[in-house]
């Protein structure tokens, strides 16, 4: 069985289309189709069924996928070993929720890349859960620990969140001295039906109703608050980037969450990704301590 055919098979399985796989591999979709057909002849089974939504794995394809992913990890591990242990090189794609991606990762990854000049890091900042099986990213940071899938999970750090508002807003509105006073204020938060993880449903936990100003983006919410739109929940590590804001009754309402580093189980044998994960863990913990000290 040809490894290159398996590589193309995995690309189709992840993209669910010949054209999507071709774009990722930089080869013609027709060539992708021929290579898949050749692999199907080699294994004596149909690996994909064509549906209106794209190419779906058959039962035989699903069985082959796990073996192909282990072969992929072995190839990556062999390539990694050949490069030697000195430094990190190549491209790594990291998925992260946008609050983490905007206010924590830039300075962390800049330091890691400064120490490893041959390293390229792509940050995919989306407010959703990443599908590592489809290789949307090499690894991802999540706000809750996944309960299913062939994944390895490592806790990166805890982080704190508090209510905050701009000094201008607080000067123009009734004082907030107790949680009961919050009912008289306008809130900023997530769009309720776009909360992709229960850990992000902060306002429900605090006992407040759906906010009249809402976004699925943490950065948009923060900018609402910076411009005096209301009160909202803010990561303490984001507060140094928004000096206009101040925390509201922090001794009475305080939330704690965690960031988790999530990886595909087969990647544990890839030394390059292991070294990156170790550096990411150390730098994120150090940066979190620095930023929360300013909150």
């Amino acid at each position: 069985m040809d490894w290159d055919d398996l590589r193309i098979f995995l690309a189709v399985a992840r993209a669910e289309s010949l054209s999507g796989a071709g774009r990722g591999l930089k080869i013609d979709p027709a060539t992708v189709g021929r290579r898949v057909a050749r692999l199907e002849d080699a294994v004596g089974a149909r690996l994909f069924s064509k549906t209106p939504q794209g190419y779906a794995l058959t039962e035989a394809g699903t069985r082959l996928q796990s073996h192909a992913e282990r072969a992929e990890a072995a190839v990556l591990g062999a390539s990694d070993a050949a490069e030697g242990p000195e430094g990190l090189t190549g491209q790594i794609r990291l998925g992260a929720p946008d609050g983490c991606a905007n206010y924590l990762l830039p300075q962390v990854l800049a330091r890691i890349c400064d120490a490893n000049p041959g390293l390229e890091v792509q940050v995919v900042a989306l407010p959703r859960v990443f599908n590592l099986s489809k290789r949307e990213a090499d690894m991802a940071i999540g706000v809750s620990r996944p309960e299913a899938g062939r994944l390895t999970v490592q806790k990166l750090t805890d982080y704190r969140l508090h209510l905050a508002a701009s000094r201008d807003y607080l000067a123009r509105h009734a004082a907030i001295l107790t949680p009961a006073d919050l009912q008289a204020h306008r809130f900023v938060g997530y769009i309720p039906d776009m909360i992709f993880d229960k850990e992000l449903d902060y306002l429900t936990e605090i006992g407040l109703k759906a906010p009249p100003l809402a976004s699925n983006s943490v950065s948009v919410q923060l900018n609402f608050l910076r411009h005096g739109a209301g009160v909202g929940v803010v990561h303490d590590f984001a507060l140094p980037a928004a000096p206009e804001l101040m925390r509201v009754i922090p001794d009475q309402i305080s939330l704690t969450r965690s960031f988790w580093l999530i990886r595909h189980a087969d990647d544990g044998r890839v030394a390059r990704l292991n070294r990156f994960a170790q550096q990411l863990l150390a730098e994120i913990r150090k940066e979190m301590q620095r930023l929360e000290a300013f909150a």
Side-chain angles (χ1 to χ4, degrees), residues 194-236:
M194 296 185 75
I195 296 176
F196 69 92
D197 191 299
K198 60 179 174 52
E199 295 292 338
L200 303 179
D201 197 3
Y202 310 129
L203 297 186
T204 297
E205 181 173 336
I206 294 170
L208 299 168
K209 59 186 179 182
L213 288 173
S215 173
N216 66 329
S217 166
V218 167
S219 298
V220 173
Q221 292 176 37
L222 192 75
N223 280 315
F224 268 136
L225 299 176
R226 290 178 60 237
H227 290 284
V231 182
V233 175
V234 177
H235 302 78
D236 279 9

Side-chain angles (χ1 to χ4, degrees), residues 1-259:
M1 193 179 298
D2 190 305
W3 155 245
D4 207 45
D5 288 345
L6 284 175
R7 180 174 68 94
I8 291 172
F9 159 77
L10 284 174
V12 176
R14 291 163 181 163
E16 298 180 346
S17 74
L18 299 183
S19 58
R23 282 194 299 272
L25 297 170
K26 296 182 173 57
I27 59 178
D28 185 83
T31 302
V32 174
R34 288 194 297 271
R35 299 295 287 276
V36 169
R38 187 170 80 173
L39 182 60
E40 289 179 330
D41 288 342
V43 300
R46 289 283 304 280
L47 300 175
F48 294 98
S49 60
K50 186 74 167 64
T51 72
Q53 290 74 40
Y55 278 68
L57 286 168
T58 62
E59 185 177 344
T62 300
R63 289 197 300 269
L64 180 61
Q65 184 179 27
S66 61
H67 295 288
E69 286 176 339
R70 284 195 287 272
E72 178 184 54
V75 169
L76 289 172
S79 174
D80 206 40
E83 290 178 3
E86 297 82 10
L88 281 165
T89 60
Q91 185 182 96
I92 294 175
R93 180 172 290 180
L94 176 65
D98 68 328
C100 176
N102 276 286
Y103 305 108
L104 182 61
L105 287 181
Q107 56 273 40
V108 164
L109 295 175
R111 289 199 293 267
I112 293 175
C113 287
D114 284 346
N116 300 277
L119 179 65
E120 300 175 21
V121 182
Q122 298 179 343
V123 177
V124 183
L126 293 174
R128 64 172 176 81
V129 176
F130 284 82
N131 189 330
L132 296 183
S133 294
K134 292 186 177 181
R135 297 296 176 177
E136 293 180 333
D138 294 300
M139 57 185 73
I141 295 173
V143 295
S144 63
R145 186 182 186 116
E147 301 297 330
R150 297 187 64 253
L151 304 168
T152 60
V153 184
Q154 180 179 22
K155 186 175 182 179
L156 285 174
T157 182
D158 290 330
Y159 61 95
R160 296 177 298 167
L161 308 101
H162 290 90
L163 292 173
S166 71
R167 289 172 172 79
D168 175 66
Y169 175 89
L170 294 172
R172 291 186 289 106
H173 293 82
I176 304 173
L177 302 177
T178 70
D181 296 332
L182 296 172
Q183 302 301 326
H185 289 265
R186 182 169 64 190
F187 268 78
V188 173
Y190 280 103
I191 300 170
D193 62 358
M194 296 185 75
I195 296 176
F196 69 92
D197 191 299
K198 60 179 174 52
E199 295 292 338
L200 303 179
D201 197 3
Y202 310 129
L203 297 186
T204 297
E205 181 173 336
I206 294 170
L208 299 168
K209 59 186 179 182
L213 288 173
S215 173
N216 66 329
S217 166
V218 167
S219 298
V220 173
Q221 292 176 37
L222 192 75
N223 280 315
F224 268 136
L225 299 176
R226 290 178 60 237
H227 290 284
V231 182
V233 175
V234 177
H235 302 78
D236 279 9
F237 64 76
L239 286 172
E244 307 91 340
L245 302 184
M246 61 183 297
R247 295 193 301 182
V248 174
I249 53 172
D251 55 331
Q252 298 177 64
I253 295 179
S254 179
L255 305 174
T256 300
R257 296 291 189 267
S258 301
F259 284 134

Side-chain angles (χ1 to χ4, degrees), residues 263-284:
R263 299 175 56 189
H264 195 282
D266 291 333
D267 288 347
R269 67 188 82 180
V270 182
R272 182 174 66 97
L273 295 180
N274 291 338
R275 293 199 301 274
F276 176 78
Q278 290 168 0
Q279 292 187 31
L280 185 66
L281 173 68
E283 290 293 342
I284 277 183

